[in-house]
Amino acid sequence: YVGIAAADHLWELFAARAFQGIVSSAALPTIMAYVADRTDDRQRARGMAVLGAAMGLGFILGPAAGGVLNHFGRDAPFWVASAVSGATFLFAAAGLAESLAPGARTARPPVWPAEALKSPIFPLYVVAFANAFVLAGLETTFPLFVQARFSLGARDVGYAFALMGGV
């Protein structure tokens, strides 16, 4: 987020966003694994539901906050997001215990990408990819569309994304 906020050229924005995507791609699987490790079989569904609810709340509050913060400058939402991310990192580093007791971790052989193609749930992988691809397209083109068509600004787009998240 710091790179996005500080970008002065388009290539810097692309580089910062690419870096952000690379380093954050493991966040959700890691969080889900942590919840799975810290819950027993009876509580796991509840833990995943709380995680899903937190993500949904983020989809609602994040764009709305970005829309409001845009009032303080186009880069303000990214500076605030970087501060929140930094605080979250410090909290996780200092406050989260190891998810498994020593010796509880079991080694599994690596799963190769070719094996995913043979999996009976491969169609779900395709749907998940298509969902992410379409959502990325929406997030990038919707603001441009509503600005050109309806002369809406960043705050309005943030509220629209918050509404979409709520729905």
Side-chain angles (χ1 to χ4, degrees):
Y1 289 121
V2 169
I4 292 171
D8 290 325
H9 299 90
L10 187 59
W11 73 267
E12 293 172 332
L13 183 64
F14 285 153
R17 183 60 186 101
F19 178 75
Q20 180 188 27
I22 291 167
V23 299
S24 67
S25 63
L28 183 58
T30 302
I31 294 167
M32 293 175 79
Y34 190 85
V35 169
D37 287 350
R38 300 289 288 187
T39 55
D40 61 23
D41 290 341
R42 290 187 3 224
Q43 294 296 318
R44 190 156 300 125
R46 183 179 184 277
M48 294 297 175
V50 169
L51 179 59
M55 288 174 39
L57 195 57
F59 278 117
I60 296 168
L61 297 179
V68 170
L69 290 169
N70 187 66
H71 174 73
F72 300 102
R74 193 174 272 182
D75 57 344
F78 300 102
W79 287 117
V80 171
S82 66
V84 170
S85 295
T88 302
F89 169 77
L90 293 175
F91 168 77
L96 291 180
E98 169 59 43
S99 64
L100 291 177
R105 194 171 306 278
T106 58
R108 285 186 248 149
V111 176
W112 301 102
E115 292 178 39
L117 297 174
K118 300 174 193 170
S119 170
I121 62 169
F122 177 74
L124 296 177
Y125 295 148
V126 173
V127 170
F129 172 79
N131 180 53
F133 187 78
V134 169
L135 186 59
L138 170 74
E139 292 171 342
T140 55
T141 58
F142 180 74
L144 300 172
F145 171 74
V146 297
Q147 180 184 23
R149 179 77 181 237
F150 304 109
S151 300
L152 296 179
R155 182 176 11 188
D156 300 313
V157 170
Y159 292 154
F161 277 135
L163 178 64
M164 287 180 207
V167 170

